[in-house]
Amino acid sequence: MKPYYAVIFSSLKKKNIPEYDVMAVLMEDLAQQQSGYRSHETACSEIGITISYWDSLEAIAQWKQQVDHQMAQRLGKSDWYEWYHVRICKVEREYSFGKE
Amino acid sequence: MKPYYAVIFSSLKKKNIPEYDVMAVLMEDLAQQQSGYRSHETACSEIGITISYWDSLEAIAQWKQQVDHQMAQRLGKSDWYEWYHVRICKVEREYSFGKE
């Protein structure tokens, strides 16, 4: 398996943020245009978890520096999140069941 | 930072599984009793994502072999999930904002 990387973004959102869903979709679209982007998964109940998968640490660093994404990161701290936690991980092994 | 590991479990559940929530809580309790367990996070909307964090690959391997957990893994394949995907990852770097 060619090694690849996961960015685990877990967060607790503030209440009543009308612009959040629009911005989240914009950021997803933007991420998908980045070099080295592979896929992402997201789920949200009490907390939100979004995991994006990337070819390399360099691709993750470039995504973090992307201008519009930096604006979202600033708004995230000021307006959207009570807290968030980001973990950059190397996928060492994987297996699956059923059809994804 | 002492290195540690994440098990990303993403899944699509079948509909109408009354015993699932009970079993999920039992498995969470059981995981927390394992040697090397650190914490976990879970969210569920269209898909479910549960991430558990562990001190070592050995602790993850022991958890996978745990007898009751093996029973849950069998039921997972036969009864609960349309599909699931497991990724074993090494956490290389992390940062956070706000109070978790």
Side-chain angles (χ1 to χ4, degrees), chain A residues 6-11 41-43 47-53 83 85-89, chain B residues 4-11 20 28 31-32 37-44 47-54 60 63 85-91 94 100:
Chain A
V7 179
I8 302 173
F9 182 83
S10 36
S11 64
E41 298 174 313
T42 191
I47 65 166
I49 301 176
T50 296
I51 310 172
S52 54
Y53 298 100
W83 57 259
H85 198 117
V86 178
R87 290 177 178 91
I88 319 260
C89 309
Chain B
Y4 66 99
Y5 292 84
V7 179
I8 301 173
F9 182 82
S10 36
S11 64
Y20 181 82
E28 281 182 18
Q32 290 172 35
Y37 168 89
R38 294 170 65 106
S39 64
H40 76 274
E41 299 174 313
T42 190
C44 188
I47 65 166
I49 301 176
T50 296
I51 310 172
S52 55
Y53 299 100
W54 300 86
I60 294 169
W63 168 232
H85 198 115
V86 178
R87 291 177 178 90
I88 318 257
C89 308
K90 184 177 184 187
V91 180
E94 65 185 321
E100 190 168 351

Side-chain angles (χ1 to χ4, degrees), chain A residues 49-84:
Chain A
I49 301 176
T50 296
I51 310 172
S52 54
Y53 298 100
W54 301 85
D55 285 339
S56 67
L57 292 175
E58 293 70 34
I60 294 168
Q62 280 169 25
W63 168 233
K64 191 163 191 296
Q65 294 308 317
Q66 208 277 353
V67 174
D68 295 336
H69 184 211
Q70 286 208 327
M71 191 189 69
Q73 289 173 59
R74 278 196 298 278
L75 281 170
K77 286 186 187 174
S78 62
D79 292 0
W80 299 340
Y81 298 113
E82 297 287 349
W83 57 259
Y84 63 69

Side-chain angles (χ1 to χ4, degrees), chain A residues 1 8 15 17 25 29 34 36 43 56 64 67 73 89 92:
Chain A
M1 184 185 92
I8 302 173
K15 307 251 180 272
I17 313 168
V25 170
D29 288 350
Q34 299 299 300
S56 67
K64 191 163 191 296
V67 174
Q73 289 173 59
C89 309
E92 307 235 325

Side-chain angles (χ1 to χ4, degrees), chain B residues 55-96:
Chain B
D55 285 339
S56 66
L57 291 174
E58 293 70 33
I60 294 169
Q62 281 169 23
W63 168 232
K64 192 164 191 297
Q65 294 307 317
Q66 209 278 353
V67 173
D68 294 336
H69 184 210
Q70 286 208 329
M71 192 189 70
Q73 289 173 61
R74 279 197 297 277
L75 282 170
K77 285 187 187 172
S78 62
D79 292 0
W80 298 340
Y81 298 112
E82 297 287 349
W83 57 258
Y84 63 68
H85 198 115
V86 178
R87 291 177 178 90
I88 318 257
C89 308
K90 184 177 184 187
V91 180
E92 307 235 325
R93 204 156 53 79
E94 65 185 321
Y95 56 91
S96 60

